[in-house]
Amino acid sequence: MRVTGTGHASMRIDTAAGSILCDPWVNPAYFASWFPFPDNSLLDWETLGRVDYLYVSHLHRDHFDAKHLREFVSKDATVLLPEFPTSEMEDELRALGFTKFLRAPNEQVVELDGGLKIMIQALTSPTDGPIGDSSLWVEYDGVRLLNQNDARPTDLTVFAELGHVHAHLLQFSGAIWYPMVYELPQAAKTAFGKQKRERQFDRTWRYIDDLKADHVFPIAGPPCFLDDALWQFNDIHGDEGNIFPDQSVFLSEYAKVGGTNGIVLLPGSVAEVTTSGATTTHPQPVEEFFANKTAHLEEMRERKRGVIEAEKASWRHPEIDVLAGMKRRIEPLLDESIYLAKGVGGPVRFDLVGYDGAEVESIVVDFPGKQVRPYADEKVRYRFRTERALIEHLLHIDEVDWVNSLFLSCRFSAARIGQYNEFVYAFFKCLSTERLQYAEGWYDEHERAVDAEDVTLGDWVVQRRCPHLKADLTRFGIVDGDQLTCQLHGWKFDLPSGRCLTSVGHKIRAARTQTP
Ligand code: FES
């Protein structure tokens, strides 16, 4: 089995029974904030795009690049489609000209022509990607590969049960706006970033250990930030709180925990994976590339400046009345929302900075009051500050997912009182009736699901499943005194009170072992 690195989470898998192109991403995403790193725009995409199968793991724009899919991927390719709860991915691909779809039943092995086998695991909680993320398992001629990309299943048992895996490709770096955009003292930001960076690596080691594949390929990040306004997010400034470590950092951190089977794919690198080993060829020596990372980014920044400027010029729509537009889009959804609105539980304020950089319009999305209105000097739970032009653009294109556009762009700052509130982001990624109804139904089921099984962890008896996304706490739970940490996403719980210390809601059932 041949695996060609094509940048970020993207790869082309070639076997004698057919080829699969995964997550090809080339054009900047999220308001021109994210670019693939290392640069993959100079690959021979005409050839790479002539494939038998296309797999897009989910709709995040660093995995689903509509422009690139339209221009470079063969419309004769059969799309291997995860079993997602909504039809959005299929609809978007059809709109791009794809007509052949194979809907892969969740977690079931499908045999394609010539003996090529695949299995797709779809994750469908409202917090998994834009309502859905997935992993692809491939087997041909005894060689097995798992492209986990950035999916975060509770464990990898379903893949491990299919036999020993030879190539495991997974995310290790950050892909979020936390903590950089928060209005916090630099020292606090660095401390939070450091914790996050460590947690990302811990999670990666756990997945690697779950599968014990012969070879581990760090993929799906980090992106690079080429706009001058975001340049500081690249991990080239010696900031230990930077959440975007690159593949060379992965290799050195992995070595510290005894990992010796890591393989970095540059765009254009080719790994031939067999049951007995892997040989890899690179377009240039990997160490040399990373030693010159800053120069690579600087050169790329100059080359892409025009692309960024052209995108920026398309965001302003002065004819749009933002307050009226937000009212029209958001108020009907506030009316429909029970769980998410209750979960947010307070007003969320948007401070929109005008074109002159001075004038600010303050708008509140009032979740308890179910309305969008001008800010009225009240205390708010969350405050976002961004350019008015970005919101104008979101309204102009009728964007239903503000996480998959505004928030991932990192072109905003944020402040909040109290804990992280996942419902805020869940709501702003569900700005359509279809998505909102799905998320509401999911939380409804989830809240009502009685998870009766308890387990003993140290001096505590706790419910077996994590109140966040049901990770098995016998594997992911670490008790330290009166605090439990679930290592899947790092959420913490105060055991005497059951209170979740990381997010609003999500109480855990816990009692001391000696309590009758
Ligand atoms: S499942 Fe997310 S922290 Fe436990």
Side-chain angles (χ1 to χ4, degrees):
M1 188 179 293
R2 173 181 300 164
V3 183
T4 304
T6 46
H8 197 63
S10 175
M11 73 200 74
R12 179 175 154 136
I13 301 165
D14 282 276
T15 70
S19 51
I20 309 172
L21 183 62
C22 306
D23 289 351
W25 171 47
V26 176
N27 296 293
Y30 315 123
F31 285 108
S33 293
W34 290 36
F35 284 77
F37 169 80
D39 185 22
N40 61 356
S41 59
L42 303 176
L43 293 176
D44 176 6
W45 282 106
E46 292 281 355
T47 305
L48 290 167
R50 279 197 289 274
V51 279
D52 303 298
Y53 302 98
L54 168 70
Y55 166 70
V56 180
S57 58
H58 61 297
L59 281 171
H60 270 158
R61 301 303 174 194
D62 55 318
H63 299 255
F64 182 96
D65 178 348
K67 183 172 188 295
H68 188 76
L69 290 167
R70 186 190 301 112
E71 291 172 1
F72 288 101
V73 181
S74 164
K75 302 304 169 296
D76 288 332
T78 299
V79 178
L80 305 174
L81 207 58
E83 196 176 17
F84 285 145
T86 72
S87 63
E88 276 177 77
M89 181 180 282
E90 181 173 346
D91 297 344
E92 293 213 26
L93 287 165
R94 280 194 190 280
L96 296 174
F98 293 91
T99 57
K100 298 182 195 166
F101 291 87
L102 189 153
R103 290 177 198 85
N106 199 33
E107 298 183 359
Q108 285 181 35
V109 176
V110 178
E111 182 152 354
L112 308 172
D113 290 346
L116 180 61
K117 291 182 190 163
I118 61 133
M119 184 173 87
I120 299 178
Q121 180 186 56
L123 304 179
T124 56
S125 101
T127 49
D128 286 313
I131 312 285
D133 199 347
S134 68
S135 304
L136 172 73
W137 172 95
V138 181
E139 180 187 296
Y140 181 72
D141 201 18
V143 179
R144 298 184 195 93
L145 168 152
L146 176 65
N147 170 11
Q148 187 183 339
N149 67 77
D150 63 0
R152 297 201 200 150
T154 50
D155 59 52
L156 299 178
T157 312
V158 65
F159 303 108
E161 281 171 352
L162 296 174
H164 180 71
V165 169
H166 304 92
H168 184 187
L169 300 97
L170 79 168
Q171 186 187 45
F172 64 98
S173 193
I176 192 80
W177 52 86
Y178 173 86
M180 308 88 74
V181 304
Y182 277 91
E183 295 165 13
L184 290 168
Q186 192 50 49
K189 258 195 228 192
T190 303
F192 289 138
K194 223 174 133 201
Q195 276 172 14
K196 169 130 182 55
R197 189 167 161 127
E198 283 162 13
R199 216 165 53 226
Q200 289 166 181
F201 279 124
D202 284 346
R203 183 173 55 228
T204 309
W205 310 149
R206 188 167 289 272
Y207 281 130
I208 291 172
D209 191 50
D210 262 4
L211 208 57
K212 296 185 174 48
D214 289 348
H215 310 288
V216 170
F217 298 75
I219 63 158
C224 60
F225 300 89
L226 301 181
D227 189 354
D228 293 335
L230 306 169
W231 184 251
Q232 73 273 14
F233 295 153
N234 296 304
D235 192 15
I236 51 174
H237 309 289
D239 171 10
E240 56 183 1
N242 186 297
I243 68 155
F244 298 108
D246 64 34
Q247 296 84 339
S248 68
V249 179
F250 167 88
L251 286 183
S252 54
E253 292 298 314
Y254 191 34
K256 288 182 197 163
V257 295
T260 54
N261 60 346
I263 300 177
V264 170
L265 295 178
L266 299 173
S269 296
V270 176
E272 300 283 355
V273 183
T274 68
T275 52
S276 54
T279 51
T280 313
T281 51
H282 300 288
Q284 74 178 100
V286 172
E287 303 76 37
E288 181 187 298
F289 172 80
F290 284 101
N292 294 316
K293 176 177 176 181
T294 303
H296 174 78
L297 290 176
E298 283 168 349
E299 184 278 326
M300 213 176 151
R301 171 169 65 175
E302 291 317 311
R303 201 154 30 90
K304 303 290 183 184
R305 210 176 274 283
V307 178
I308 296 172
E309 291 314 315
E311 281 237 18
K312 282 186 174 176
S314 71
W315 299 340
R316 291 185 181 187
H317 294 279
E319 72 284 2
I320 290 181
D321 176 339
V322 172
L323 174 62
M326 284 178 67
K327 261 176 135 24
R328 206 167 29 248
R329 171 153 280 287
I330 294 173
E331 280 187 353
L333 299 167
L334 289 174
D335 274 340
E336 281 178 40
S337 177
I338 301 166
Y339 278 91
L340 297 186
K342 191 168 140 247
V344 177
V348 172
R349 170 176 155 193
F350 286 83
D351 284 348
L352 307 179
V353 182
Y355 302 160
D356 61 3
E359 181 213 346
V360 175
E361 180 178 3
S362 277
I363 294 174
V364 157
V365 180
D366 180 350
F367 285 83
K370 306 255 175 191
Q371 59 171 327
V372 178
R373 55 173 170 74
Y375 172 59
D377 250 355
E378 73 263 59
K379 215 171 178 177
V380 294
R381 191 151 288 178
Y382 265 75
R383 176 172 56 72
F384 298 113
R385 185 182 174 91
T386 189
E387 285 176 45
R388 188 190 145 97
L390 303 190
I391 305 295
E392 289 171 356
H393 185 68
L394 296 179
L395 294 170
H396 177 71
I397 62 171
D398 230 3
E399 175 65 62
V400 302
D401 188 339
W402 288 18
V403 169
N404 200 5
S405 48
L406 172 66
F407 292 115
L408 279 167
S409 79
C410 303
R411 292 184 186 274
F412 70 103
S413 67
R416 71 176 193 231
I417 300 171
Q419 297 163 314
Y420 165 73
N421 186 317
E422 76 173 56
F423 300 103
V424 171
Y425 298 107
F427 181 83
F428 283 104
K429 71 163 74 163
C430 288
L431 299 183
S432 72
T433 294
E434 189 189 27
R435 281 197 181 196
L436 187 79
Q437 285 302 319
Y438 176 73
E440 289 283 325
W442 192 92
Y443 280 109
D444 188 24
E445 258 174 42
H446 197 75
E447 295 272 306
R448 284 191 288 112
V450 181
D451 195 343
E453 192 182 351
D454 286 333
V455 291
T456 301
L457 295 179
D459 294 339
W460 291 89
V461 177
V462 297
Q463 67 187 62
R464 177 164 190 161
R465 294 282 165 181
C466 175
H468 178 216
L469 290 177
K470 290 192 175 288
D472 184 347
L473 292 173
T474 60
R475 298 187 61 246
F476 288 94
I478 303 281
V479 172
D480 183 9
D482 285 353
Q483 208 176 84
L484 179 143
T485 303
C486 170
Q487 291 200 310
L488 190 56
H489 305 97
W491 283 33
K492 292 186 188 307
F493 300 86
D494 174 56
L495 293 172
S497 64
R499 203 162 66 85
C500 176
L501 302 172
T502 308
S503 179
V504 175
H506 303 286
K507 204 168 172 197
I508 196 167
R509 183 173 66 242
R512 282 189 200 278
T513 41
Q514 64 269 35
T515 306

